[in-house]
Amino acid sequence: MDDFYREFILDHYKRPRNFGTLEDPDVTHEEDNPLCGDRIRIDLKLREGHVADVRFTGQGCAISQAAASLLTEKIKGASLERVRGFSKEEMLEILGVPLSPIRLKCGLLALKVLKTGLYGLQRWPGEEG
Amino acid sequence: MIRAGGAMTARSRGGRSPAFEVERIRQDFPVLGEKIRGKPLVYLDNAATSQKPHVVIDTIRQFLSTYNSNVHRGVHQLSERATEAYEQARTRVQGFINAAESREIIFVRGTTEAINLVAQSYGRTHIGTGDEIVISAMEHHSNIVPWQILCEQTGAVLRVVPINDDGEMLLDEYVTLLTPRTRLVAVAHVSNALGTINPVREVIRLARRQGVPVLVDGAQAVPHLKVDVRELDCDFYAFSGHKVFGPTGIGVLYGRARLLEAMPPYQGGGDMIKSVTFAKTVYNDLPFKFEAGTPHIGGVIGLGAALDYLDGVGLDRVTAYEDELLVHATEALSAIPGVRIIGTAKEKASVVSFVVDGVHAHDIGTVLDHEGIAIRAGHHCAMPVMQRFGVPATARASLAFYNTREEVDALVRGIHKVIEMFV
Ligand SMILES: Cc1ncc(COP(=O)(O)O)c(C=O)c1O
């Protein structure tokens, strides 16, 4: 059991970091995983090619919510290049627990929301044209 | 069936019957001796699928190892034996649900296929634009989607009988939904997500009063209650072998002969024809008209063995014992702070759906799994029920007659552990 719900996962679940919403975000995106009922929304504020601020809200299992919390910590202040390069493998490594195929969706939902939100973006803020 | 608050339990209803020998019965089910992560398996996911007794496993093994062959076509002895066993099982099913004739028993893959058969064969010939099909708000997806497909094909309209906060069908609303445009009613006998036992007798009476046929989805009823299709007076009754201690891949559609006879085939192929020429094909008689292709012979024979086994245990005793387990589980789970039971109908089968404040059902499922306890977590193929109760998912413990009070107590301890971890 302790292998699965490691202390830091439970900690992020019970005390999520960067939880909430941003006023006037540059990017906001929400998705759910209808099979589980997990739902994540991520708001981003961008400045000079960096993630100036990030918040998430959501509901769902400990894995999905802890993953979102952990992800926001990783990308806050990071360059967009770094965020784009952030891979599934990296996300799973951060979670550090072996996930069954069904639970994989939970673990990767936050990253999917982030990527879809960012790639859906047409124009970076501050860029003219 | 329990009544609210456990005011009337099996005991008060029928006097004290001789003790149900659950420990002896457990010996009949090899899986129950398994260990999960070193802990004894506590299998509480019977609504998803039930475990199989030795006699079912042995019957299938015997078929495969001593008289395996095809049915209804060989002139040789093995085929005769297989055909005889196959048709005996049909008679077995007929007796089990008290159908008038064995040709009213159609073997299909499961409840899902039975309902699709009725939707496509009966539905496409009897239901048209503007006609209405009535279902309830607590149906399994397999008693929703086939009707939605039919509605798309024909322009018919689906009407849904609402349920109250206890998960009971609102009969008053049902009556108002029965209109001159109603062509079919399709309801679950027992809800897999809530455990509710629907008043199907009354539902059928009201529909038939105005000549509307009724299909009953009996997937969750047959393992728990004595079912008598003639007493119910239903037109179609569907159930799955794997939920009544038989194999997967086999199920039953009961249909009134008069209706089945008038229905076109669902699938074409071997076995369902009398003669074929390129000019004209003559369909076979019932039940073969609806059994195209080589059937799941071992499955049918295994299902027959399962029903024999269940008869041997005695469905009345099963129902009474499961009632006691349900009362115990309901009381014990309700007593845990933060636990809310979803589905509190007065008439219930031994299914307990619940949510825990602040914990997602999948986390409950995972923690319990690490204790060797198998439950279901999710939407139970009844997303509209989840929406009705405003929850993304529930955890569900579904009990069979081989479960024990001690297993329910293990579940309760497991839930305490869940709360300790997550809240
Ligand atoms: C009420 C109900 N109806 C239909 C079904 C579908 O049964 P099957 O998947 O065996 O076809 C189920 C199975 O979960 C059920 O619980």
Side-chain angles (χ1 to χ4, degrees), chain B residues 68-138:
Chain B
N68 172 59
S69 66
N70 214 325
V71 291
H72 303 138
R73 40 191 94 170
V75 291
H76 53 82
Q77 203 194 331
L78 278 195
S79 176
E80 275 171 27
R81 273 185 70 190
T83 304
E84 191 184 311
Y86 182 86
E87 290 305 323
Q88 259 173 15
R90 194 191 306 278
T91 313
R92 194 68 208 76
V93 174
Q94 176 204 346
F96 195 81
I97 59 172
N98 196 30
E101 304 174 58
S102 68
R103 64 190 183 118
E104 296 181 314
I105 304 300
I106 315 287
F107 288 120
V108 291
R109 268 198 304 136
T111 308
T112 303
E113 190 174 49
I115 298 173
N116 278 279
L117 189 162
V118 175
Q120 289 303 304
S121 171
Y122 181 86
R124 292 196 79 170
T125 45
H126 291 79
I127 298 174
T129 311
D131 288 346
E132 296 180 353
I133 300 160
V134 174
I135 63 172
S136 89
M138 69 177 97

Side-chain angles (χ1 to χ4, degrees), chain A residues 1 4-5 10 13-14 34-38 59-63 102-103 106, chain B residues 358-360 362-364 366-367 370 378-379 383 392-393 417 420-423:
Chain A
M1 182 83 284
F4 197 78
Y5 293 110
L10 289 172
Y13 175 63
K14 293 188 220 176
L35 273 184
C36 308
D38 294 337
Q59 60 169 36
C61 70
I63 299 295
I102 287 179
R103 275 315 191 66
C106 311
Chain B
V359 191
H360 189 277
H362 282 177
D363 291 322
I364 301 173
T366 302
V367 174
H370 281 76
H379 54 61
M383 282 184 174
K417 187 158 184 177
E420 240 166 68
M421 276 179 75
F422 289 97
V423 184

Side-chain angles (χ1 to χ4, degrees), chain B residues 47-48 109-113 115 139-140 142-143 188 190-192 217-220 240-243 376 380-381 396:
Chain B
R109 268 198 304 136
T111 308
T112 303
E113 190 174 49
I115 298 173
E139 298 308 317
H140 188 277
S142 66
N143 199 26
V190 171
S191 155
N192 68 308
D217 168 358
Q220 297 295 342
S240 299
H242 70 99
K243 299 198 201 264
R376 174 97 186 255
H380 318 296
C381 295
R396 179 188 71 187

Side-chain angles (χ1 to χ4, degrees), chain B residues 15 18 41 48 99 117 140 146 186 221 235 274 286 297 409 416:
Chain B
L41 166 67
L117 189 162
H140 188 277
D235 298 276
K274 267 188 180 149
L286 289 179
I297 304 164
D409 296 338
H416 278 295

Side-chain angles (χ1 to χ4, degrees), chain B residues 28-301:
Chain B
D28 296 336
F29 292 82
V31 165
L32 299 181
E34 285 295 303
K35 293 240 177 350
I36 303 293
R37 303 171 208 276
K39 295 177 181 154
L41 166 67
V42 175
Y43 187 76
L44 305 178
D45 195 16
N46 294 286
T49 199
S50 59
Q51 297 302 344
K52 321 304 171 199
H54 278 297
V55 59
V56 168
I57 299 165
D58 294 346
T59 300
I60 296 169
R61 183 189 294 127
Q62 207 203 356
F63 162 67
L64 290 175
S65 50
T66 67
Y67 62 101
N68 172 59
S69 66
N70 214 325
V71 291
H72 303 138
R73 40 191 94 170
V75 291
H76 53 82
Q77 203 194 331
L78 278 195
S79 176
E80 275 171 27
R81 273 185 70 190
T83 304
E84 191 184 311
Y86 182 86
E87 290 305 323
Q88 259 173 15
R90 194 191 306 278
T91 313
R92 194 68 208 76
V93 174
Q94 176 204 346
F96 195 81
I97 59 172
N98 196 30
E101 304 174 58
S102 68
R103 64 190 183 118
E104 296 181 314
I105 304 300
I106 315 287
F107 288 120
V108 291
R109 268 198 304 136
T111 308
T112 303
E113 190 174 49
I115 298 173
N116 278 279
L117 189 162
V118 175
Q120 289 303 304
S121 171
Y122 181 86
R124 292 196 79 170
T125 45
H126 291 79
I127 298 174
T129 311
D131 288 346
E132 296 180 353
I133 300 160
V134 174
I135 63 172
S136 89
M138 69 177 97
E139 298 308 317
H140 188 277
H141 294 164
S142 66
N143 199 26
I144 302 174
V145 184
W147 306 117
Q148 290 176 323
I149 292 173
L150 179 67
C151 287
E152 267 174 35
Q153 291 165 335
T154 61
V157 182
L158 201 59
R159 298 272 177 234
V160 182
V161 184
I163 56 179
N164 66 19
D165 291 343
D166 288 322
E168 295 168 315
M169 206 175 138
L170 297 173
L171 273 181
D172 294 351
E173 303 273 345
Y174 169 63
V175 170
T176 65
L177 286 173
L178 283 175
T179 73
R181 285 189 303 273
T182 310
R183 292 287 171 273
L184 188 87
V185 172
V187 289
H189 196 162
V190 171
S191 155
N192 68 308
L194 301 167
T196 312
I197 301 175
N198 278 315
V200 281
R201 185 77 200 75
E202 186 63 4
V203 167
I204 294 163
R205 192 184 66 80
L206 290 164
R208 288 190 52 77
R209 204 172 55 174
Q210 55 185 79
V212 175
V214 180
L215 175 143
V216 179
D217 168 358
Q220 297 295 342
V222 177
H224 302 291
L225 314 168
K226 185 91 200 99
V227 170
D228 181 331
V229 292
R230 271 190 285 175
E231 200 250 330
L232 285 176
D233 201 23
C234 58
D235 298 276
F236 300 104
Y237 198 97
F239 68 96
S240 299
H242 70 99
K243 299 198 201 264
V244 278
F245 318 104
T248 52
I250 191 67
V252 171
L253 171 67
Y254 157 82
R256 235 185 251 283
R258 187 174 50 77
L259 294 180
L260 291 176
E261 268 174 351
M263 284 159 55
Y266 171 55
Q267 292 178 334
D271 246 13
M272 55 74 70
I273 45 83
K274 267 188 180 149
S275 67
V276 176
T277 67
F278 287 117
K280 182 167 173 57
T281 288
V282 180
Y283 302 135
N284 207 338
D285 297 325
L286 289 179
F288 311 110
K289 181 170 80 176
F290 291 108
E291 292 180 3
T294 298
H296 183 7
I297 304 164
V300 167
I301 296 172

